[in-house]
Amino acid sequence: MLQVGADSTARNLSWMSESAGGGEVRWAPASELVGGKLPADAATAETTDSGLATDLKRHFNHASMTDLEPDTEYAYQVGSDEDGYTGVEQFTTGSAGGDDEFLVFGDPQVGAGGGDPDDAAGWDRTLSSAAATADDPSFFYSLGDQVNSAGNQEQYAQYLAPEATRTIPQATTIGNHDVSSKAYEQHFNRPNVSQDHGGGGVITSGGDYWFIEDGVLFLNINSNSSDMDAHADFIEEVVAEHGDQARWTVLGFHHSIYSTATHWDDLDVKRLRKAIPPVAARNDIDLVVSGHDHIYNRTFLMDGEGKPVEGSEAGAEEEKEDGQTLYLTLTSSSGSKFYDYVPGLDWEGKSVHNDVPAFTRVRVSDEALRATTYEVPAGGAPADGERAEAQAAAEQIDDVELRRAEAEEPAPDDDPEADAGVEAGAEADAGTDSGAGADGAGANDDADGAGTGDDADAGAEGAGTSDDADAGADGAGADADAGAGGAASDSAASDGAASGGVGSDGTDDENGTDSGTADAGTADSGSEADAAEADATEANAAGTGDDSDSSGTASASGDGDLPRTGGGLALPLAVGAGALALGATLLVVSRRRRGAGLN
């Protein structure tokens, strides 16, 4: 069986032998074949792993071909002097960074039909039709449950029977029907298998792994393993180390988290559905492919919280931002069995549930991933394999092109850095002026604020939560006389202390009096001022201003958004200065009258 290697310069192989392991793989460019045989100087590589197979009758063997050139047809054979060699097979490597494509299949699960339907024939028909439909696919990808019984060697023989398993490299994901035997690990020589993430046991298979093909980083996790932290670590470590070597990132695992069939509510699926989206978002996974539920479904673009992205319509084109992911669930590729459709799930973008085997063809370019899905009715591709007839036999049921959102280009006269500097300076000036205006006027820190009242004057003069302009004058919702009196202290004016029982930070002192003017503070303290200020706080926090001329929305603490330029403070400063002058005049008049009375 021909399989993907660590990258496009390598191809892995596995085979069974009757004698003990220790064979080799031989290969050369197909152009060097002489009479259909490999040349004497063909490259060779010994087995990297071998041992007694689970059937206790044969031996499994793993080997790799390396240093392969792109866009090149190669010939190879495996075996040993003791057991002999296989016939010569041929395959073609993918391009170097150009447009490529690969095929994806949901559960073949050969053996599940018990011969009716004949799932071995169904798998052969689907794989053959897909290979004829695609344009020289660089590999095919099977998403788990290759066989129905994990240790059944006859079912593996039927899964491996199609010629395409020796001429097109394949990658596999481990399913729940594969996991309970070492046969999976013996048959599939996977590259870059982690020893620390998603591993199997003494008699079970497992292991997360990765490879790069077609300029795409493929991550595969063993979703039978419930150690979600280990899977997350694996994904993040591989993306951090190899993500910049790829133009797209694809994650594959067996148990679909966004299917529209009956497994959607399983406990293990719900656990995955909680764990995967944040990891996918953090690592900007573009596409996730899964099987398990024997139904076809495409989601909307999904975010890191597992919710459909606003504006995603599951149309023929999807434009993704960083952290957004498209999920595909693939149905049975053999017709072994199908599950009932479950309508009304939030993530359903497009679901097809015709109980017909299907496959997906993914075309890769720098600009897009295009996934086209076909159903394969009984009869499948014609014997001669002509592509046009194969496409007629395979009926298209979905087509989506995934692109990255274009970064918005700034206008030619825009200078974001300069604008940011101007804004920062303006806000700093506004903050300085705000403090001077508020303190100088003997009002609270909201003096330049939103003006949440209905009255324009109230909004301009500060707290402004009353409809009465006079009430706005004292910044605390008390009467005008109390407001004037609250400013009638030299120490209050010089210290910038707020009147009306409002401290210098725009809040009531614990004793309900202003530390700057005991008399004025006492006059303005009390239930009315407290109630008015509570109203002001609530209104400011809610930002409920009705005045279109208000310059911003102040927060309850008086440090809300300020005007972007100092000019926005002109009106409140002028009014504040006028209030200060009026207060000073009243103070002088009051003292003269008191002096006259004493005399």
Side-chain angles (χ1 to χ4, degrees):
M1 174 172 41
L2 183 65
Q3 292 147 84
V4 298
D7 56 36
S8 58
T9 69
R11 290 291 179 259
N12 289 358
L13 294 128
S14 59
W15 69 94
M16 290 288 179
S17 62
E18 293 184 358
S19 300
E24 65 179 8
V25 55
R26 306 176 66 231
W27 74 96
S31 59
E32 297 180 8
L33 288 174
V34 179
K37 295 182 178 181
L38 290 167
D41 61 351
T44 62
E46 295 182 350
T47 54
T48 55
D49 189 21
S50 63
L52 187 63
T54 57
D55 62 6
L56 305 181
K57 299 177 182 178
R58 300 173 298 170
H59 290 77
F60 70 90
N61 302 271
H62 293 171
S64 298
M65 296 178 282
T66 57
D67 299 324
L68 304 177
E69 296 293 331
D71 290 313
T72 302
E73 187 175 12
Y74 283 93
Y76 75 95
Q77 63 183 172
V78 300
S80 67
D81 291 338
E82 183 175 0
D83 282 325
Y85 286 85
T86 63
V88 174
E89 300 284 359
Q90 297 185 26
F91 68 95
T92 304
T93 54
S95 66
D99 294 353
D100 291 287
E101 61 182 89
F102 60 95
L103 297 164
V104 191
F105 300 93
D107 309 33
Q109 204 169 341
V110 174
D116 186 19
D118 185 347
D119 37 55
W123 164 238
D124 190 3
R125 181 171 59 248
T126 300
L127 179 55
S128 300
S129 181
T133 301
D135 186 8
D136 295 327
S138 54
F139 76 101
F140 72 85
Y141 198 6
S142 177
L143 299 175
D145 287 0
Q146 281 69 227
V147 296
N148 188 58
S149 301
N152 191 308
Q153 296 292 359
E154 182 181 355
Q155 292 174 7
Y156 269 111
Q158 292 175 333
Y159 170 79
L160 296 171
E163 173 67 16
T165 64
R166 294 178 293 284
T167 59
I168 302 175
Q170 71 172 294
T172 58
T173 292
I174 187 169
N176 56 296
H177 282 265
D178 307 312
V179 70
S180 61
S181 169
K182 284 294 184 183
Y184 176 86
E185 292 181 1
Q186 294 175 359
H187 281 290
F188 300 109
N189 181 11
R190 300 159 295 159
N192 304 316
V193 179
S194 172
Q195 302 301 314
D196 304 314
H197 306 90
V202 176
I203 61 172
T204 60
S205 291
D208 298 348
Y209 77 101
W210 64 272
F211 63 95
I212 295 177
E213 190 68 41
D214 298 340
V216 179
L217 173 60
F218 291 90
L219 304 151
N220 300 265
I221 62 173
N222 171 20
S223 57
N224 299 285
S225 169
S226 61
D227 190 344
M228 299 301 160
D229 290 339
H231 294 317
D233 290 344
F234 169 78
I235 292 169
E236 289 173 350
E237 289 170 9
V238 174
V239 170
E241 188 169 352
H242 302 284
D244 59 355
Q245 301 171 22
R247 45 188 173 173
W248 300 93
T249 304
V250 175
L251 172 63
F253 53 89
H254 179 62
H255 298 76
S256 171
I257 62 175
Y258 292 123
S259 80
T260 50
T262 50
H263 279 310
W264 79 274
D265 201 31
D266 291 355
L267 290 178
D268 54 352
V269 170
K270 289 193 289 187
R271 182 172 61 245
L272 282 162
R273 190 158 57 237
K274 180 179 180 181
I276 292 297
V279 180
R282 287 198 304 271
N283 294 278
D284 194 25
I285 305 297
D286 300 299
L287 178 67
V288 173
V289 287
S290 302
H292 189 53
D293 231 356
H294 298 244
I295 198 168
Y296 176 78
N297 183 64
R298 167 161 60 99
T299 67
F300 300 98
L301 282 175
M302 306 295 286
D303 64 20
E305 296 181 352
K307 298 177 180 178
V309 172
E310 184 177 355
S312 176
E313 298 178 350
E317 293 185 5
E318 290 286 353
E319 190 174 83
K320 72 176 290 287
E321 304 278 356
D322 287 350
Q324 298 174 356
T325 305
L326 185 68
Y327 294 77
L328 295 183
T329 302
L330 276 76
T331 189
S332 168
S333 56
S334 63
S336 298
K337 62 182 180 183
F338 298 95
Y339 290 108
D340 292 336
Y341 169 61
V342 177
L345 297 174
D346 292 344
W347 50 77
E348 179 185 342
K350 181 171 184 178
S351 189
V352 180
H353 38 93
N354 296 333
D355 293 355
V356 176
F359 65 91
T360 296
R361 174 189 183 194
V362 181
R363 278 160 281 187
V364 183
S365 66
D366 291 341
E367 295 77 26
L369 286 176
R370 182 178 177 184
T372 309
T373 301
Y374 303 84
E375 288 183 337
V376 184
D384 58 15
E386 291 185 8
R387 188 162 176 248
E389 294 184 36
Q391 287 178 319
E395 180 182 354
Q396 180 177 314
I397 58 172
D398 193 21
D399 188 29
V400 59
E401 188 169 80
L402 182 65
R403 293 179 172 269
R404 291 191 180 92
E406 295 287 339
E408 291 187 8
E409 295 291 338
D413 56 346
D414 283 352
D415 187 347
E417 292 185 4
D419 290 347
V422 171
E423 275 192 27
E427 291 190 5
D429 292 342
T432 302
D433 291 346
S434 172
D439 291 345
N444 65 20
D445 289 348
D446 290 345
D448 66 329
T452 54
D454 295 335
D455 190 289
D457 292 341
E461 292 185 38
T465 55
S466 169
D467 291 345
D468 186 348
D470 293 337
D474 66 7
D479 62 71
D481 290 341
S489 166
D490 293 338
S491 61
S494 62
D495 295 339
S499 65
V502 180
S504 60
D505 61 350
T507 58
D508 283 343
D509 285 354
E510 290 182 359
N511 297 326
T513 61
D514 177 82
S515 58
T517 56
D519 293 342
T522 302
D524 279 352
S525 64
S527 58
E528 288 185 11
D530 291 344
E533 187 172 341
D535 292 341
T537 300
E538 181 178 350
N540 288 336
T544 55
D546 297 330
D547 192 337
S548 60
D549 293 332
S550 61
S551 60
T553 303
S555 70
S557 61
D559 54 0
D561 294 337
L562 298 175
R564 291 186 178 272
T565 63
L569 295 170
L571 181 59
L573 285 176
V575 174
L580 181 61
L582 175 61
T585 302
L586 292 174
L587 178 61
V588 171
V589 172
S590 174
R591 286 184 172 177
R592 287 181 176 176
R593 288 181 177 177
R594 289 171 61 189
L598 289 174
N599 289 336

